Amino acid sequence: MSTTTPEAISLTPSESAALSAAFPSATGSITFSDLAQYGNMSSKQFDLAAYSLNYSQTGCYRPGALPVALAQNDTCSLGFHCPASSDQNPPQYCHPYEICQVIRATKGTCNPQGVYEPKICANGHYCPPGGKQELPCPKGTYCPSGSYKPRDCDFGAICPAVSVRQVVTVPVGVMVAIDFALAIIVAIGFAISKWRKSKPKKYTTLDTGDADKDDIELLAAQGGLGRTPSPRLSVSTPQPTPPLPRPTSTHTRRASGRVDHMDGNISDDELDEDDTLFEDDLHNSPDMQRFIRSMSRTIETQTIGLSFDFEGLSFQTKSGKKILQDVTGTMPRGSCWGVMGGSGAGKSTFLNVLMGKVHATGGTIKINGWTKDMSKYKKLIGYVPQDDIVFPELTVRENILHSARVRLPASWRDKAIQDHVDSLIACLQLTHVQHSRVGDATRPVISGGQRKRVNIGMELASGPMAIFLDEPTSGLDATSAATIMRLLRAISRLGVTTIAIIHQPREQIFYGFDSLLLLSQGRSVYSGPTDDVQGYFEGLGFAFPQRANPADTLIDIITGDGAQYTLGAGKRETDVKTLIEEWRSRGQYGSHSRHLSVGLDGHQARRNRRTSNQSINSTVEQEESLRRTMKNRGATWPAQAFYCWKRAMTQQVRNATSFFFEIGVGGLAGLIIGLSAFASNGHLFQGIYHPPFTLLSSAVDYSSTPQLALLGAMAIGLAASAPGFWVFGEEKLMYYRETASGHSRSAYYVGKLLSTLIRIGLSSLHFTVFLGILATPLISFSHMYAANLMYFWCIYGLASVVSMLVKREDGPLLAVLASLVIGVLGGVSPPLSKVKSWHMEWFWRLSPGVWFTEAYVTDNWSPMAYLYQTDLASRAIGFTLGQYSLDIGLLFLIGAIYRVIAYLALILVHRDKQR
């Protein structure tokens, strides 16, 4: 504002006379000492004297303004320009013009209102101590308002001469370089994936890869998919390896389903056509032989499978509802069992009890003849859920390979694991799609049958001694279902005990099982060879239609709808209760269950005891070897954490769109908040000047910095809460599956946690760069980035807690709301000083928002402490200054506490699903 010379005051003759009378000794102009000598003058005389002083020595530009001395000598505070003052005329304050009052009331500064009035050092200039000079800021430095020396710009920052603020460029360059490198990595990964898919396919003897319909029909005409493929499909045939001995077992199975105990190996003359096909696969397929060899290496026992004996098995809920009642039977090692029954018959509960996922409320279970808690042996079994729970972002091979690496013995080298997976993939007929992503229902990549085989392969990769499957053929076409059934038979022929819940199987699949367990209303109505089931029910008076699927007929009968199949009206009771009683009285311990190891008659029990005494040493040795197998299973904890981290990083690379969108949202949030503070030109704080220049203070601005922090906290919350939720929210089912199979829960959690650090770092980098360029606060870029990084860390941790406690559909919204709540508890509105008066500061201090805002306030206000009374400002808003390191440390601690809570919720919530 330009200064104005006061207008001349016209005095009447009487006023002139009065002035002379008031100061008779004054010669020339009236001085301050003259005015002091006549303190008892009238108000009229005083006004006349003041006017006289305005024209002579006061230096105030406003007519009638009286100066106020700011010091007794030539004192000029740091950051002020005092060009005209001296010891004789010290700095003074003059009552301002109205327009200057308006400017100061709106937090601005105006030009001096008097000759000796100091002024704040102008933007882009600095005033060295003493205040006699106001020098322009040189290039490479910047000078905000009130500078007493230039501030050095950061390396590479844009700082022309007379700069008010610096524009950092190195962080921008780093951000652009990182983004460019990430784009290249994603492009290379995409190119590699495309190249892998375009490579010529090589099929093994079991791989029908890209065979078209005619090829498949040709193979079927030649004897089935299990035989050696025709030259038309065999691009390259591996050299045969020396044949392996057939897998040893205590029994064999015919295709009819009969199970015979044997002391030796499989005899070819006891196998039917399907078993002969398997033998052909075994001896003609190097991949099958390699897989058998790998399987045998995972087992520390002489036999691969587990046997299950159960007697009087019962289970009821806490409310008293009985799900299973008095189920008795035996499932020898290496057998292939189908569990059938109507809806609510207890099939899934039976499987869960047998696997140890839930504890039976009655009865006993023996594993290999020993009473054990199967939950302690979960590393030895595999469970294939009904839904295909796989990672859609990973390829077929990556899904199976991860399971193998985590669950195979820690002593295995990676090359051996890779060979094991190669042979398994070939046996699963997935070689041609091994480098294709699995996809999901919304974005399918491979077929449903292939996805089901991947689901099974993830369990076979661990070399299980028993495998349980929940409706493995549901949702598949007839051809895919038949392929799955053939795979299950092949698995059982290797010696792995295979137990599957089956629902409405086609006839071919039905007779593919060695034995059946039929359940109705939680009770068993049949347990024995598949070939004998029809004869058993015909003995009860039921007739099986010749052209009907026997499986459908059985389901009708055991669900109580069997009247239509009785021989003659009213000949036989067909209700379920009758079937249960018939099985209990005549079938349960009859010829259909001749291998039952529990509940035998006295003579048979005595004979078994004699046999048991003879083989007790062998049984003890087997038990010890089972313990060794359990002990050796599974990778070490650091290895599991690394594999989980690697898998999570691969998922992020595959989800490049989502990944870049996330960090882009972080940058956009910083851009918007930066634009809101751009007009301030970096001037985000204004307080009361230190004495003696306090009177020159403009209106204070204590709110700009806290509001910038508040907006930043809310923007970070909006940008990071949903992505933080999806870190775990999308993988709950996979986590339940893996932890139930023996994965380390803490290794999984740590691996996922480490994988988020890059996302947090990049998102906070983009946010800080755009915010720093536009808002240009006084806080250094490194300190601002550290604060933003720690707040991102907290939001991700908070979102993880939410993801453990709420449903997948509700999670993102609740995570956003939680982040907004802790942002509002940042001590800005209501101010922390007000909260202290409520004695609630402790509650606000639980929120990371308070520490985040305090860090911003500290580093933006402290550099101006030489000019403003920051302690007064601190008391006014309630924040404590000068503890930036503590603020950042507590932000990290709160984020870590959130993650500890999330981990505890992860392992404590839905514990039944983790067994």
Side-chain angles (χ1 to χ4, degrees), residues 642-662:
F642 171 75
Y643 291 137
C644 289
W645 171 83
K646 183 179 179 181
R647 180 178 64 182
M649 294 301 298
T650 302
Q651 288 177 271
Q652 293 185 37
V653 172
R654 299 282 166 75
N655 283 331
T657 302
S658 175
F659 177 75
F660 285 118
F661 182 76
E662 179 182 340

Side-chain angles (χ1 to χ4, degrees), residues 136-143 150-153 159-165:
C137 231
K139 183 179 180 180
T141 62
Y142 68 103
C143 301
R151 300 171 185 265
D152 293 331
C153 293
C159 290
V162 198
S163 293
V164 179
R165 54 185 176 179

Side-chain angles (χ1 to χ4, degrees), residues 156-174:
I158 299 176
C159 290
V162 198
S163 293
V164 179
R165 54 185 176 179
Q166 65 170 337
V167 179
V168 294
T169 58
V170 171
V172 178
V174 171

Side-chain angles (χ1 to χ4, degrees), residues 511 526 529-542 544 554 586 592:
Y511 282 111
Y526 179 82
T530 305
D531 263 10
D532 293 352
V533 66
Q534 184 171 337
Y536 171 76
F537 281 97
E538 286 176 346
L540 296 180
F542 296 98
F544 284 68
L554 281 175
R586 58 181 283 189
H592 301 287

